[in-house]
Amino acid sequence: MTVDLEESARKLLEVVPIIMQAIRSEMRSRRSLDLTVPQFRALAFVNRNEGSSLWEVARHMGLTPPSTSRLVDGLIARGLMARNDHPADRRRVRLTVTGQGLTILEASTEGTASYLADKLSGVDADNREVIDKAVETLRAVFAPAHELER
Amino acid sequence: MTVDLEESARKLLEVVPIIMQAIRSEMRSRRSLDLTVPQFRALAFVNRNEGSSLWEVARHMGLTPPSTSRLVDGLIARGLMARNDHPADRRRVRLTVTGQGLTILEASTEGTASYLADKLSGVDADNREVIDKAVETLRAVFAPAHELER
DNA sequence: ATTAAATAATTAGAACATCTAATTATTAGA
DNA sequence: TCTAATAATTAGATGTTCTAATTATTTAAT
């Protein structure tokens, strides 16, 4: 029984980047899809939140608006996202995922989830449940507050 | 009870980047230390493995040798790491953490772990134990195989 | 109603991350 | 010894992310 907070934190700090790296490599390895993690996340968010403003995407991702603006630029350049005028407020932007963007998002989600599922398949049912529960708790702890009421 | 492998994988895919982003922001926010996550990881690895070769660092981090070479360049430029000749094999490089590097590594570890500990402090003991156990399992699943016998 | 303040987004400039391909040394093996 | 393999770097590209400054638009206050 660890229970030592600092110790738990250090382990988390060691393991999270390792998993992240695995996800990153997996995502970029599919030549045909080739989304970076931020691109993937932005696409997924806008897909779930049709017509998001740049600021909403930035807040979700924990990025500054300029960073987000560039990120979106890249996605638009590849035809995966579209930037339109907001009808009520001309300062604002309405972001949407294009058909092609959705196709790639889905393929990428599917592919990466399969990869992770494969990794997890070696874990017995009990421990998988432990992981599920931990992920749930961690989500509550780390997810931007405004996204938890869903 | 979720138990659905694919579903677990998708949740992991959602949550890991969120935690990662929190860690990244936290690390870069300490102006005086200001390590990026890859810099931090490289420093931590070389500190634990005095005299590592470039290739070992690359393998640990899941990066290509060129990427690692540049990463190390940056650390050396900041005086946090040193690159020396390997006595037996002149192709190889012996990496070590400098005194200043160690100072910054420790401060950064301490600061980031405190930040995470603070986040986790709101979680009750039972759930903390669940998280610990999950982290342990995930480490076994994702850590590079060669690093598990320790 | 006009001006000042606040908000939304972008541009500019910088440092870093990361890849593939090609190159340079050095060592090991046929 | 000449060729293979190994270790590392350089080159060139694209993407990430920051701060600071700028542009446009809307809201609020006189």
Side-chain angles (χ1 to χ4, degrees), chain A residues 34-52:
Chain A
D34 190 33
L35 288 179
T36 64
V37 172
Q39 287 171 342
F40 171 80
R41 292 185 70 205
L43 222 41
F45 178 81
V46 173
N47 184 238
R48 270 184 279 131
N49 301 87
E50 183 89 4
S52 302

Side-chain angles (χ1 to χ4, degrees), chain A residues 36 38-39 63-64 66-67 70-71 89-91:
Chain A
T36 64
Q39 287 171 342
L63 297 178
T64 60
S67 303
R70 281 218 185 161
L71 177 57
D89 186 339
R90 264 184 300 176
R91 292 170 303 182

Side-chain angles (χ1 to χ4, degrees), chain B residues 8-63:
Chain B
S8 301
R10 280 173 195 255
K11 286 189 176 165
L12 198 59
L13 179 54
E14 185 199 350
V15 170
V16 168
I18 290 175
I19 303 176
M20 193 64 212
Q21 181 61 36
I23 292 174
R24 195 194 321 283
S25 299
E26 170 60 21
M27 269 192 190
R28 306 203 71 158
S29 70
R30 324 187 154 275
R31 276 300 95 203
S32 54
L33 314 171
D34 191 32
L35 289 179
T36 64
V37 172
Q39 286 171 342
F40 171 80
R41 293 185 68 205
L43 221 40
F45 178 81
V46 173
N47 184 237
R48 271 184 276 132
N49 303 85
E50 184 89 3
S52 303
S53 69
L54 191 81
W55 183 77
E56 287 166 330
V57 179
R59 184 178 59 166
H60 165 71
M61 300 199 47
L63 297 178

